[in-house]
Every structure is written in C-alpha cells, then in structure tokens.
C-alpha cells in the first residue's frame, strides 16, 4: 500500500454509495433532472432528496427548481467546488490501488 494513502482522507460526503453514484453521473453531464438521476441510481424519491441536499449543503451540487409545462422540475449539476472534490476523491482512490 502506498505510504501517502490515508483512508481517512476520503471525502465522507462523496463516499456514501448513493452520493458516489450521483457525483459520478453528474461528473459526466452538464446537468440532469431529478428523474434522470433517480432512474440512473435506482434511488427512491425520499432517499435521493436527502442525499442531494447533503451534496448541496457541502457546496458540491447546485439545485435549480423550475416549472416545465406547469410541472415542477428539479435539476442538479456539479459546482466548481464539487468537480474539484470529485477529482480529489478519485485521486485518493488511485493512491490506494497504484503501487
């Protein structure tokens, strides 16, 4: 194991299974609707709402609420801070697996 890997350095906000899936999905797209994220992650409405809120509170995800054809729509995107945190998280994982 590399000397510079510290499991405690992994970002706990990202490291949760659903939050990790959300971050991975959003990192590959400009933004996504709540329904798209829900479908891709297999999360329930309530569970996804809680985890998106946690990512938003950390400043990693921006949430935009609007109406489309008189129906409420929630969209999420990674913030600049979120993208930096995602890259740092991936770098920490690389440190774990690279000799």
């Amino acid at each position: 194991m590399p000397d510079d890997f510290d499991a405690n350095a992994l970002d706990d906000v990202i490291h949760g299974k659903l939050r990790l899936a959300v971050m991975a999905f959003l990192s590959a797209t400009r933004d996504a609707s709540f329904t798209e994220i829900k479908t891709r992650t297999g999360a329930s409405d309530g569970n996804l709402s809680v985890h998106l809120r946690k990512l938003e509170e950390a400043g990693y995800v921006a949430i935009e609420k609007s109406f489309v054809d008189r129906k409420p729509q929630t969209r999420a995107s990674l913030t600049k801070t979120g993208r930096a945190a995602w890259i740092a998280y991936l770098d920490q994982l690389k440190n774990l697996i690279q000799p």
Side-chain angles (χ1 to χ4, degrees):
M1 182 179 303
D3 292 337
D4 62 343
F5 179 77
D6 178 6
N8 293 320
L10 288 174
D11 189 328
D12 288 334
V13 174
I14 296 174
H15 195 65
K17 182 179 177 180
L18 180 54
R19 291 188 303 270
L20 179 61
V22 169
M23 292 292 287
F25 180 61
L26 291 177
S27 73
T29 185
R30 191 174 75 95
D31 66 351
S33 71
F34 184 90
T35 302
E36 291 169 322
I37 299 168
K38 180 180 155 190
T39 300
R40 293 300 294 260
T41 62
S44 67
D45 286 352
N47 201 16
L48 181 56
S49 291
V50 167
H51 288 284
L52 280 174
R53 189 172 310 115
K54 185 160 183 114
L55 290 167
E56 182 182 32
E57 288 170 355
Y60 293 174
V61 170
I63 303 294
E64 180 184 313
K65 295 183 181 269
S66 63
F67 284 89
V68 176
D69 296 327
R70 296 185 179 174
K71 294 179 186 175
Q73 185 178 71
T74 300
R75 297 195 70 78
S77 60
L78 282 188
T79 63
K80 187 176 180 180
T81 299
R83 191 161 300 279
W86 176 245
I87 291 167
Y89 179 84
L90 294 177
D91 287 343
Q92 281 294 323
L93 289 178
K94 287 177 191 173
N95 286 337
L96 174 63
I97 60 175
Q98 290 178 344

